[in-house]
Amino acid sequence: MKPIYVTQPTLPPLAEFIPYLEKIWDNKILTNGGAFHQQLEQALCDYLGVKHLALFTNGTIALITALQALRITGEVITTPYSFVATAHSLLWNGIKPVFVDIDPISLNLDPAKIEAAITPQTTAIMPVHCYGYPCDVARIQEIADNYNLKVIYDAAHAFGVHDKNGGILNHGDLSVLSFHATKVFNTFEGGAIICPDEKTKRRIDHLKNFGFVDEVTVVAAGINGKMSEINAAFGLLQLKGIDEALAKRKIIDARYRDGLKNVTGIRCANVGEHVANYAYFPIFVNSPNRDALYEKLKENGIFGRRYFYPLISDFPMYRSLPSAAQSNLPVARQISHEVICLPMYPNLENEQVDFIVSLITEFLEDL
Ligand SMILES: *Cc1c(COP(=O)(O)O)cnc(C)c1O
């Protein structure tokens, strides 16, 4: 049987991409803010309901640049329960990450624990909308306002997520998206920074192009973070299929939940369905059994992933930080020992979902 991986990128029919390539071959503009780049920035602003968006070559360079754009220094409060790029972006800026524990339901930074971690060196909070589940944006903003901190959301999982107040990407000072192959919306590789005002957008555009303002003026030690025309063109085509892809994810999420609802020994995430983009399907299994289930699934060709295990704070470049101490992050630590993200992608078939559910059921009955 063919292996089933945690995700499979959504691709449009190849023939539909050819006209885009022909345009690029005709006008010979490959990068540097060409027509497709401009069109995709506008199309994403419209689709996501945001004011300004700057495309990037990937989400990690976008995160690093977002910190530069706001001149963040010193210490930044962030979550240990994320992909390493979140904290790596801080180290690349010479910033000290300060890890704060997560809320057991939302799996995001627990606002009640943020204040105790603030020091005179703290300049910003970098929360993650983990699995696309919205952070408590209101509480986080309140704390940021009280202590005069910036907020940069790592929104790599949160493409198209809305809460009751609208698009989740409109919160904080900046939000950063990833369009990596494994994400809900992909441009092969890609990313973006979302910002509320034109002045910041201009600074970000300079920073992603070496700091150039014009032919002879360089205003900052910028980087090369520009998205190429091929990726931007591909994004325009992908955007046509995104609603269908999200709808398919929703149906798969419901099928998993229905299949697993009477199974004891596991939990599904429970953040309320109106808020999700169904980017992932995490389940939580008591920790002695998690790795055994993970292995059983693998033996049967089902390659889930333990996102996020280990915690970022356990990797060698972080573990000596005071905030990485075992005792500081009990919720994140427990969840990271319980989680398996099951396969979740638009073309996952009903029979495949049912097979995965039956393996999990069988495993728990055999315990
Ligand atoms: C994928 C991801 C990133 C990095 O994005 P890339 O586009 O792969 O560089 C950052 N943070 C989180 C939470 C991610 O999942």
Side-chain angles (χ1 to χ4, degrees), residues 58-60 63 82-83 85-86 128 154 156-157 178 180 183 190:
N58 62 57
T60 304
L63 278 172
S82 180
F83 182 61
T86 308
V128 178
D154 179 341
H157 300 174
S178 165
H180 183 258
K183 304 300 205 276

Side-chain angles (χ1 to χ4, degrees), residues 10 47-48 157-162 183-185 238-254 276-280 344-347:
T10 312
Y47 182 80
L48 297 168
H157 300 174
F159 189 92
V161 173
H162 292 257
K183 304 300 205 276
V184 163
F185 172 80
Q238 287 285 64
L239 206 49
K240 294 184 181 176
I242 186 68
D243 284 334
E244 189 190 336
L246 290 171
K248 284 183 174 173
R249 285 177 179 277
K250 182 175 176 150
I251 291 167
I252 294 161
D253 181 280
N277 61 359
Y278 312 100
Y280 299 86
M344 168 52 95
Y345 49 88
N347 289 337

Side-chain angles (χ1 to χ4, degrees), residues 82-109:
S82 180
F83 182 61
V84 280
T86 308
H88 280 0
S89 73
L90 299 171
L91 290 197
W92 273 74
N93 277 287
I95 294 164
K96 179 175 167 186
V98 175
F99 297 108
V100 164
D101 207 1
I102 59 171
D103 173 88
I105 304 299
S106 74
L107 308 171
N108 293 319
L109 268 186

